[in-house]
Amino acid sequence: MSGHVLITGAASGIGAAIAADLSARGWQVSATDLRADLLERLRADLHARSGAAPRVRAGDLADPDFAEEVVADAWSARPLDALVNAAGIYPARPLLEMTADAWDRVMAVNVRAPMLTTVALARHATAEDRTAAVVNITSGAALRARPGAAHYCTSKAALTMSTKACALELGTHGIRVNAVSPGFVQVDSTANPVTQEYAAAVSPNPLGRIGLPGDLLGAVRFLLSGDANWITGAVLDVDGGSAAGTTELPLHWAGESAAQNGTTRPQAAG
């Protein structure tokens, strides 16, 4: 399957990898990000690789007007078949230093923007009786709190529920809304930097290696494709098994107690 896809947060990291992958497979890409210089680099890179330059528009998705306008701008070139909401911010702020502004900005970018872009897409699609597919990039942090990330973890939990809520209401219009939930993915982002110490602490998983942006591409392609045409409201973990549990804990006890292995016999009362 191919078509016209809008990708948010497309200038680097996971968003850029998705843009390059879909472009190489024949998709027409429209891309948005806060960083105009990196968007131009993406445009030039994809043009050099595939001969097709993506439509790019820089702006701040925390601005609700821009979140809706970028969909309208992409649609004006060609109706959209898909939307990938990959934009997100991951600031570090201890809870005792949290402010309303810091909390609100994370919620605006990570939760409100994908909801607004999805709604904007749905309005255009339903007006023209078209179907579409949406993939949100959420996080395992939706289920596991982390120090200094109360706003981020809460936003990803909200994005997971927003995915389900949008799927519920848009399904009858032929618009599917799903999510991919990555584990720790090494992207070397200047927008969302992390220390090596943090990466080492958060990345252990059953498959034993740090994730890379390329690890998510098959899941995104699948959820956008006709092979997933009866899937909506789903959250697909792509995390090396992190959601299954942690590999970093020792056995909680050496062996079994007599009560656990059945060698202790019941005693009569009195």
Side-chain angles (χ1 to χ4, degrees):
M1 175 182 174
S2 62
H4 183 198
V5 59
L6 171 62
I7 303 169
T8 72
S12 65
I14 292 171
I18 294 169
D21 182 64
L22 294 181
S23 176
R25 295 171 187 275
W27 285 78
Q28 178 181 339
V29 173
S30 289
T32 188
D33 201 282
L34 183 64
R35 298 157 294 176
D37 57 335
L38 295 183
L39 268 181
E40 284 302 317
R41 184 184 302 175
L42 175 77
R43 187 193 64 78
D45 181 48
L46 296 193
H47 183 258
R49 292 188 190 186
S50 67
R55 187 182 185 90
V56 299
R57 183 169 179 181
D60 189 351
L61 287 164
D63 176 355
D65 292 334
F66 178 76
E68 296 183 16
E69 289 167 3
V70 74
V71 175
D73 181 66
W75 194 279
S76 69
R78 174 185 167 185
L80 286 162
D81 301 287
L83 166 67
V84 178
N85 286 304
I89 54 174
Y90 186 15
R93 184 177 289 259
L95 195 61
L96 293 180
E97 299 174 13
M98 188 66 67
T99 66
D101 286 344
W103 182 274
D104 289 348
R105 178 159 180 80
V106 171
M107 295 299 161
V109 175
N110 292 6
V111 186
R112 188 178 67 190
M115 184 273 293
L116 290 177
T117 55
T118 299
V119 170
L121 170 67
R123 286 173 175 160
H124 284 284
T126 55
E128 299 186 18
D129 196 26
R130 295 180 61 91
T131 62
V134 179
V135 174
N136 294 323
I137 305 299
T138 181
S139 169
L143 300 177
R144 299 175 68 180
R146 301 168 183 175
H151 44 1
Y152 176 77
C153 296
T154 302
S155 75
K156 291 301 186 178
L159 180 59
T160 297
M161 181 50 68
S162 177
T163 298
K164 296 176 182 293
C166 290
L168 186 70
E169 295 202 38
L170 298 178
T172 56
H173 299 286
I175 299 170
R176 299 184 298 105
V177 187
N178 294 292
V180 170
S181 177
F184 180 78
V185 174
Q186 186 73 56
V187 296
D188 298 321
S189 170
T190 58
N192 295 302
V194 299
T195 65
Q196 291 184 349
E197 179 184 21
Y198 176 83
V202 78
S203 60
N205 59 69
L207 292 184
R209 68 169 177 84
I210 289 178
L212 300 171
D215 293 319
L216 308 182
L217 301 180
V220 173
R221 287 197 308 270
F222 167 68
L223 290 174
L224 293 181
S225 76
D227 289 338
N229 61 13
W230 208 49
I231 299 175
T232 195
V235 179
L236 179 55
D237 294 326
V238 184
D239 60 5
S242 296
T246 178
T247 60
E248 294 300 292
L249 292 177
L251 291 177
H252 59 279
W253 187 255
E256 299 175 340
S257 70
Q260 290 170 338
N261 64 26
T263 57
T264 297
R265 300 300 179 206
Q267 295 180 352

